[in-house]
Structure formats: structure tokens, C-alpha cells
Amino acid sequence: MAETGSDQAGDMKHDSVSSPGISDHEREMATNAFEAFKAGSYDVSLKHLDNLQELNKEDYKITMNKAITEFYKSGQTTTSTLKQTLMTLKNQMHTAVDDIDGLDDVENSILNYNQAVIYYHMRQYSEAISIGEKLYQFLEPFEKFAQAVCFLLVDLYLLTFQPEKALHLLAVLEKLTVKDGNSKNGKGESTNSANKESSSLKAEFTAMIEAAKSKMHQYKVRAYIQMKSLKACKREIKSVMNTSGNSAPSLFMKSNFEYLRGNYRKAVKLLNSSNIAEHPGPLKTGECMRCMFWNNLGCIHFAMGKHNLGLFYFKKALQENDHVCAQLGDGSNGQAKKFTGIPMCALLANKRYELLYNCGIQLLHIGRPLAAFECLMEAVQVYHSNPRLWLRLAECCITANKGSSEQETKGLPSKKGIVQAVVGQGYHRKIVLASQSTQNTIYSEGQSAAIPVASMEFAAICLRNALLLLPEHQQHDSKPDKSCSQSGSTESGSETSDACSGKTQEGDKFIPAAPSSPLRKQEVENLRCSILACSAYVALALGDNLMALNHAEKLLHQTKLSGSLKFLGHLYAAEALISLDRISDAIAHLNPENVTDVSLGVSSSEQEQGSDKGDLEPVESSGKQTPLCYPSSVSSARSTMLFNLGSAYCLRSEYEKARKCLHQAASMVNTKEIPPEAILLGVYLELQNGNTQLALQIIKRNQLLPSVKPTSSPDLRKKPLPFQTSQPVQPIQTPSSFTQVQRK
């Protein structure tokens, strides 16, 4: 879009020259001003415009052209001043966006188009689209202007992940280009074909048509990549390679295509073969190819499961981005808060927050939640309306507070030691067993929960924000969703997406989630389930049992719930009910028959999100690389339910039922998979029956032993140790928790 500004300025000057109703003297001065502008003599052009304005002070077009000439004279660095001038002119002309339908001349259209271009470079895409769509309604009389508006809208649609609308506009552009080309060629043949000037104009026009076709092929590749339409994308890439050759942008597109196909090594090879040194810098194009190169390598290695190497490349991209920002004169660590002093086309070069998002997701996968929290906290300052990002922040807090192996020994022990201490010697020797976990009880002492700290209190706030950003449950549509933008997995999408007509489906509404791909209907529901599961876990950790029960019940009432999250929902609801002394209700949730499936259930549309022309986009985990969530099988899940059911029976003093549940669960899993809480429960049951020796053997061997008939049954009225379900089951790796979002 860097060239759009110059094309736009030329159009405006030309229209000023050819405007009817002016004298020959005024027309001559306008022509001289326009020619001086095209030659780069901005001072001369301004002098002619000043003289012209003295003759016609009421013509706002002259003021607009003066503002644009001064803008180019400053090296396109006074974007805010130009924006303010155009806004003032627009208010004077009473041409608000809502009143654009009443415009009937090209001059007012260009005024609004100029504003749309400025909004585009300031990343205010919604405002730019609103103006562009209004302008699109009356484009027919102005062929060159129509092409500029359409290209601007196509770029905006791709930046906002609306590839169907982009393809529809490209189809319209193709018809206009072919029609325009045929009319010009026919006109040239019917007139004086021997005229050298006519032939040179014809050659220039032909070159312009070819450049437009090449540009359209590139836009189509970007759109098909976002839609996962690999078959159509392959055809367009051939056209791009034929017209553009082995240029850096074309190789980046081809690398992105191979990346979507899973050919990671070939994608890396294509990236390495691109000569990014020959590509113009961000001052001319607004794109830093070196930054995109390192980012794309990070995305590819991330998809390959090489997370540390991927993080290395993301950091290289961040360093390159900071270097570019320093070259542009931005001294605020890449945070361009002002639009003065930086060329307008270079305002889009800063990708700091997208890269921080990538680094945060990568660090979360590596197991460095605190470092990930710092990156994502900086990114959320810009992308605060992204529910996915708030969930990631909550996951950072949960992972940071889950505790390392050293920390776990301070609370409920690991399998290697359920004995906390040994006191005394000989006959007076006593074994002190570990008590309940003390995690999440020392955070935020004297601090507000709203302070950004990786604590469970702040995780609760993040999850609340994520829920509020999701739309309410929509009514079930009678027609199935036929959108082709999220059609199946990377492979299957190549067949179903090729039938896309380019028109946007009415029912295919999406929720923006910048900087990652927007959320489709099914993705919203999957994300809601993950947020509710994490919310229940966090509420249990904070001791808010009523809220935990509320979240767990909402989770279980979701229409499309994966088996893994259904298991967690029953488990969290049971623990909350036990804490609320509602044992009978908890036992109903702990029925092993409630567990029939423990699959993650990540929809194929979430596994890998689309991408475009090799620009930067956040990356999240591929569904292919999702780690196994505990438990890994139905039998393991049912054993966990039985362990907890035994704890519930123990609270009601039904020790025989508890013992049966305990040993039935132990027989369903490997000895190494038995959690330490279950071993402590077995010790308690044996002590209740007076089997002190057997209880000691369980402690020494750190494993459950076959039941032995009790010799006596003294009535020991001791409070049992309830099985803490929040310990062995963590909702970190849940459906839509780590979805793949890549862009080249």
C-alpha cells in the first residue's frame, strides 16, 4: 500500500486540472502545479497553487492539493497534520461517512479516499473499511479511481481476515481490468495507429494492466492461504512465480504455502533462498523483510516442535524490529505513539506487539510461564479485546503457581515421599505425614488483585475478562455453516474451500481477536469451555467454592463439550460440593460412568489458522503437537474418579465403600500412576481399621498393598484426608488452549 499514496496524489491533481467551470488561465496554472508535483518540485507546485487559490478561494480541492503537496514536501512525515486538514475540509463539506451516499462527484470521493488511506496506515482498519465500502457504491464512472479503491479494500479485508470479501472484489477488479483493456485496445486500433505518441501510451497502459494483474495474483494467494484452499492457492502461486519471478515476496508466499502443507523443510529452504537484501527497506514499502524472515523461521520451527529454536528466531525478529524502529527515529522502544517524524508508509513497519505475542506463546510451551507473562502483559496493552490473549495470561498464572517439584514437596508431596518428617527414636519414633497443599495461600499479601502479577487472583480477573469478551450464546441456525474460510484441516480444506464463490456467508460471523485470526462460531464455543474449566480450577485454588461450582456447572451445560473437559467439569464440581458439605451431590458427579471419553476434541478449524503475504502474525500451538492432557485414557480417568469417590465415601464414614473404590481404582492403572493423595487415603483407611502394620508398609513402600483382614476395629474418630482433585488434574492443556495461528 505504500504506492497508494502517490497514486492517490496524482489522481487528485489530475482531477483538479480537468475540473469543468474554470477559465483557461486557471486551467493552465492547475496544469503547471500538477506537472511540478509529478516532477517532485513541490515548492513550485505550491507557488502555482497559491496563485490559483487567490483566484478561487472557495474551491476546497485547491486546499486539499496544497495539504498533500506539503505532505510530500515533508517526506510524508506529517501524517497527523494531513489527517487534521482533511477532517476539517470534510466537516466544511458536510460529507460525513453516513452522508457519503449523497455524493455524486469524484472530488468528494477522493477526499474520503484520502482519509481511508490515512486510516489504513494508522491501523484504524474499521474506519477505513467503512469509508471504502461507501465509496465502492459509485465507482463505475471512474476507472482508475475504482481500481485504487478496490485494491485498498482488498488489502483491508485481508488484514482483517475476510478473504471471501477480498476474492469477491478481486473478481470485480478482473472484469474491470479486462473491460478497460479491451476498450483501450479497440480505441487505439480505430484511431491513428501510426502515431508514436499513441503507441507509447498504449505500451504504458499495457504495462499498467500487467502490473495490476500481477498484484491481483498476489492478493489471491494471500486470500487462499487464509482460507486453506491449497488447490486454488497452488494455481495462483504458479501465476505469481511467472510474473514476479523469484522475488522475495513471491518466495515468501510459496514458503507459506509449503508451511500449510506441512512441508516444513521445504518452507525453510524457500525462505533461505529469498534475497531479502534486494527488497526495498521499510521507508519505501513499510515492510521489514528481515524481521518477517526471522519470524517465519520461528513459526516453522514452532510447528516442528522445536520450541527453543523457534524462540531464538522470534527474539532475532524482535531485535530486527527494534533496529528498524530506531532507524525510523522512534525512540520509545518500538512503540510509535506519535505519527510525526516517521513516513506514513513506515507506520506499519513496527511489529513489536505481534512478535511479543509470539514469544509469549512460545515461552508458555517451553515451560517458562513468568517470562511468557511479561511478554503477553505488554501485548495485551494493545490487543486488550482478544479473549484468547486473556486466557493465555491466565494460563501463565496457573502454570506459574502450579509449583515445581521442589515447591510441591512443601505441600502435598510427590510420589517420592509422602513422609514429611520423622520425630523421635526407637519406641517413641513417630512418622509425620505431609498435610494438604499450601499452594496459592501466600500470594498477593497486602496487594490488590488487579495488579499485574502472575498470581491466581490475577488469573481470575483475566478469565473474567475473557468471558466478558465472548458473545452470548447464539440461537441455533437452521442452515449449516457453509463458510469456506475455515473448512476442515490443512489437507481437507483444499477440496472444500475451492468451491467458494467469493461471497460472504451471512451466517458466518466472526469475532475479531487481533493479532491472531478471528474466532468463528465453533471456536467461540470451544474457547468458552476452556475458559470455564480454567475458571473453576482457579476458583477452587482461591477457596471460592460457590464460584467454582457455578463455573463447573456452566461448563457441563455446554452443548459441544469435549470428553476431557467434561471429565474436569465433574471433578471440579465434586470438589466444590465436598467443600460445601454436599457429599451426596458430589458422589453423583464422581460416578465413573460419567466418563466415556477423554479426547481433547480440538476442532480442525482451530488447529491451524490462515496467513497472508509473509507478514507477521501471532503463532500458537499446532493441534498436531498438543501434549497429552491428564488423564490419557478412559481407564485412567475412571480410576481418578474412583479415588475421589473413595474420599467422598470416607467423609461419610462409609469406609468399606471407600476401600472398594480405592482398590478398584488401583487395579485399573499402573502402580506408578497412583497419585500420592490416594496412598495417603489408603493409609488413613488402614488406620481406621486398626491395621497399623499394613499402614506402615504402605508408607514405606509408597504404594497401595492388597487388603488384609483387620484384627480389630477401634473407633478412631479422626477427620479423613480428602482427595484434592485440583492437584493431579490441571486444566492447562485443554481444547482451544493452544491453537495454531500462523502467518508467514
Side-chain angles (χ1 to χ4, degrees):
M1 279 301 298
E3 67 273 19
T4 303
S6 58
D7 292 342
Q8 146 217 14
D11 286 340
M12 288 185 293
K13 294 294 178 180
H14 176 70
D15 292 323
S16 178
V17 171
S18 59
S19 297
I22 62 175
S23 64
D24 292 339
H25 180 58
E26 291 175 336
R27 190 182 303 277
E28 182 181 358
M29 284 193 296
T31 302
N32 293 334
F34 181 57
E35 294 298 330
F37 176 84
K38 288 199 301 183
S41 303
Y42 302 122
D43 290 327
V44 177
S45 179
L46 284 171
K47 188 176 295 184
H48 288 301
L49 288 173
D50 287 335
N51 296 332
L52 188 61
Q53 194 168 37
E54 291 179 1
L55 299 176
N56 192 351
K57 296 183 179 180
E58 296 181 357
D59 192 350
Y60 81 94
K61 294 176 291 182
I62 300 175
T63 305
M64 179 176 64
N65 288 340
K66 283 181 63 178
I68 292 177
T69 305
E70 290 172 351
F71 174 70
Y72 274 85
K73 181 182 176 182
S74 69
Q76 303 185 31
T77 58
T78 56
T79 308
S80 297
T81 304
L82 178 60
K83 179 184 177 183
Q84 186 62 39
T85 303
L86 295 178
M87 184 65 70
T88 303
L89 290 174
K90 188 173 182 180
N91 293 335
Q92 292 175 356
M93 295 299 297
H94 305 287
T95 56
V97 175
D98 297 335
D99 302 328
I100 286 181
D101 292 333
L103 299 178
D104 57 355
D105 56 336
V106 67
E107 289 84 358
N108 294 346
S109 301
I110 290 179
L111 172 63
N112 287 281
Y113 171 76
N114 291 339
Q115 282 192 311
V117 171
I118 292 176
Y119 282 134
Y120 167 86
H121 287 285
M122 288 184 167
R123 308 191 191 205
Q124 299 177 18
Y125 302 133
S126 299
E127 290 83 352
I129 289 175
S130 178
I131 295 175
E133 289 179 343
K134 292 286 185 179
L135 292 173
Y136 179 74
Q137 297 174 7
F138 51 96
L139 290 177
E140 239 177 318
F142 324 114
E143 294 172 354
K144 187 177 179 182
F145 178 64
Q147 187 182 92
V149 172
C150 286
F151 275 134
L152 175 62
L153 272 176
V154 168
D155 221 330
L156 287 166
Y157 284 145
L158 291 176
L159 286 172
T160 53
F161 298 96
Q162 302 180 66
E164 300 94 341
K165 289 185 177 181
L167 286 174
H168 176 67
L169 267 183
L170 288 170
V172 174
L173 264 174
E174 280 186 329
K175 293 179 181 178
L176 287 175
T177 304
V178 172
K179 180 180 177 181
D180 195 23
N182 292 336
S183 63
K184 293 288 184 181
N185 290 333
K187 189 175 180 181
E189 292 172 0
S190 61
T191 56
N192 186 7
S193 58
N195 192 331
K196 294 182 179 180
E197 184 178 355
S198 176
S199 61
S200 63
L201 289 175
K202 184 178 178 181
E204 182 181 351
F205 178 77
T206 303
M208 185 179 69
I209 292 294
E210 292 300 322
K213 288 182 179 179
S214 176
K215 196 173 184 179
M216 284 189 283
H217 285 307
Q218 294 183 18
Y219 279 131
K220 282 185 179 180
V221 171
R222 293 174 58 187
Y224 286 132
I225 284 177
Q226 284 191 5
M227 295 164 58
K228 309 287 188 310
S229 183
L230 300 183
K231 188 175 180 181
C233 184
K234 187 175 182 179
R235 292 195 300 265
E236 293 299 329
I237 283 180
K238 289 182 179 178
S239 301
V240 170
M241 300 301 291
N242 290 334
T243 56
S244 302
N246 291 329
S247 62
S250 60
L251 288 174
F252 270 48
M253 290 181 184
K254 192 172 182 180
S255 175
N256 198 349
F257 170 71
E258 297 297 339
Y259 168 73
L260 288 180
R261 296 177 65 187
N263 298 334
Y264 302 127
R265 295 187 181 278
K266 189 172 182 179
V268 172
K269 186 177 179 180
L270 286 167
L271 280 179
N272 290 329
S273 63
S274 61
N275 191 355
I276 58 179
E278 295 181 357
H279 191 267
L283 287 173
K284 294 184 178 180
T285 63
E287 296 174 340
C288 176
M289 297 299 288
R290 293 184 62 84
C291 184
M292 290 191 290
F293 172 79
W294 294 118
N295 176 80
N296 294 350
L297 282 178
C299 292
I300 294 171
H301 285 87
F302 179 82
M304 295 170 67
K306 301 178 179 180
H307 299 306
N308 286 287
L309 192 55
L311 180 62
F312 169 78
Y313 288 127
F314 285 141
K315 288 183 176 180
K316 292 278 286 184
L318 262 176
Q319 293 173 2
E320 192 66 37
N321 184 76
D322 292 341
H323 177 66
V324 169
C325 291
Q327 284 183 333
L328 295 175
D330 180 13
S332 56
N333 293 327
Q335 305 176 33
K337 298 180 180 179
K338 298 180 180 179
F339 299 107
T340 56
I342 301 176
M344 184 176 69
C345 67
L347 294 176
L348 295 173
N350 181 20
K351 304 293 182 181
R352 176 176 177 79
Y353 296 102
E354 292 93 326
L355 291 169
L356 284 172
Y357 192 105
N358 283 357
C359 287
I361 299 301
Q362 188 72 280
L363 286 165
L364 190 56
H365 277 79
I366 292 175
R368 297 172 57 187
L370 294 178
F373 182 82
E374 295 298 326
C375 291
L376 296 181
M377 271 308 303
E378 192 168 348
V380 83
Q381 297 176 35
V382 176
Y383 304 112
H384 47 77
S385 60
N386 184 353
R388 276 200 195 111
L389 180 50
W390 287 108
L391 176 60
R392 302 294 173 263
L393 279 169
E395 289 172 346
C396 290
C397 299
I398 292 172
T399 307
N401 291 310
K402 189 173 63 171
S404 61
S405 58
E406 293 80 12
Q407 292 172 330
E408 288 174 356
T409 57
K410 299 177 182 178
L412 276 176
S414 64
K415 292 258 324 199
K416 295 183 179 180
I418 63 172
V419 178
Q420 185 173 359
V422 177
V423 181
Q425 293 181 353
Y427 181 77
H428 299 287
R429 184 171 175 264
K430 304 292 183 183
I431 297 176
V432 181
L433 299 181
S435 60
Q436 297 183 17
S437 174
T438 58
Q439 69 172 12
N440 304 325
T441 60
I442 59 173
Y443 300 109
S444 302
E445 293 182 358
Q447 274 189 343
S448 170
I451 296 177
V453 179
S455 64
M456 298 299 274
E457 290 85 355
F458 188 71
I461 294 177
C462 294
L463 293 169
R464 194 178 306 123
N465 291 345
L467 275 178
L468 290 173
L469 288 169
L470 291 179
E472 296 296 329
H473 287 284
Q474 301 176 354
Q475 296 180 354
H476 296 287
D477 298 330
S478 57
K479 296 181 180 180
D481 186 8
K482 296 181 181 180
S483 167
C484 53
S485 64
Q486 298 288 341
S487 53
S489 62
T490 305
E491 290 76 12
S492 62
S494 61
E495 300 298 330
T496 57
S497 295
D498 290 334
C500 184
S501 62
K503 296 182 180 180
T504 305
Q505 301 293 334
E506 292 296 330
D508 184 31
K509 296 181 179 179
F510 58 84
I511 308 301
S516 54
S517 301
L519 295 164
R520 302 288 172 171
K521 182 178 179 181
Q522 183 55 43
E523 294 173 316
V524 170
E525 298 308 314
N526 290 343
L527 189 61
R528 191 192 311 276
C529 294
S530 295
I531 294 171
L532 287 172
C534 287
S535 298
Y537 174 80
V538 170
L540 284 173
L542 295 174
D544 193 348
N545 299 307
L546 280 173
M547 187 59 69
L549 179 60
N550 182 34
H551 289 310
E553 289 178 344
K554 282 184 180 179
L555 175 64
L556 293 172
H557 281 91
Q558 299 300 307
T559 54
K560 295 182 180 180
L561 185 63
S562 67
S564 178
L565 287 184
K566 184 179 180 182
F567 163 73
L568 290 177
H570 283 297
L571 212 55
Y572 295 157
E575 183 170 350
L577 288 167
I578 287 176
S579 299
L580 294 171
D581 201 22
R582 294 167 57 183
I583 311 300
S584 298
D585 295 334
I587 288 175
H589 281 284
L590 293 173
N591 186 351
E593 299 301 322
N594 290 334
V595 183
T596 57
D597 178 30
V598 291
S599 63
L600 295 177
V602 179
S603 65
S604 57
S605 61
E606 284 186 287
Q607 290 181 5
E608 293 181 354
Q609 299 297 330
S611 57
D612 63 14
K613 61 173 181 177
D615 212 346
L616 300 171
E617 179 185 342
V619 55
E620 299 190 6
S621 169
S622 167
K624 303 172 186 177
Q625 302 291 336
T626 304
L628 285 177
C629 146
Y630 179 87
S632 58
S633 64
V634 174
S635 61
S636 180
R638 289 187 173 182
S639 68
T640 301
M641 297 290 270
L642 285 169
F643 283 136
N644 285 273
L645 184 60
S647 179
Y649 280 133
C650 216
L651 290 171
R652 294 206 306 190
S653 300
E654 298 178 4
Y655 301 122
E656 286 302 321
K657 289 184 179 180
R659 183 177 289 101
K660 288 180 181 179
C661 290
L662 190 64
H663 289 287
Q664 183 182 351
S667 65
M668 295 172 64
V669 294
N670 190 288
T671 305
K672 296 180 179 180
E673 295 182 14
I674 298 175
E677 296 86 351
I679 294 176
L680 290 176
L681 180 60
V683 171
Y684 175 79
L685 288 173
E686 298 306 330
L687 290 175
Q688 281 284 18
N689 285 333
N691 297 331
T692 308
Q693 295 300 322
L694 187 55
L696 286 173
Q697 290 184 40
I698 293 175
I699 294 172
K700 290 177 180 179
R701 299 187 183 184
N702 199 23
Q703 63 183 17
L704 293 173
L705 298 176
S707 178
V708 178
K709 293 183 180 181
T711 55
S712 60
S713 300
D715 187 13
L716 300 178
R717 302 295 184 183
K718 295 183 179 179
K719 183 179 178 181
L721 298 173
F723 178 22
Q724 300 293 320
T725 58
S726 62
Q727 293 298 323
V729 184
Q730 301 290 346
I732 308 303
Q733 310 292 342
T734 54
S736 77
S737 178
F738 290 119
T739 55
Q740 180 71 29
V741 183
Q742 306 104 343
R743 177 194 272 175
K744 269 187 68 180

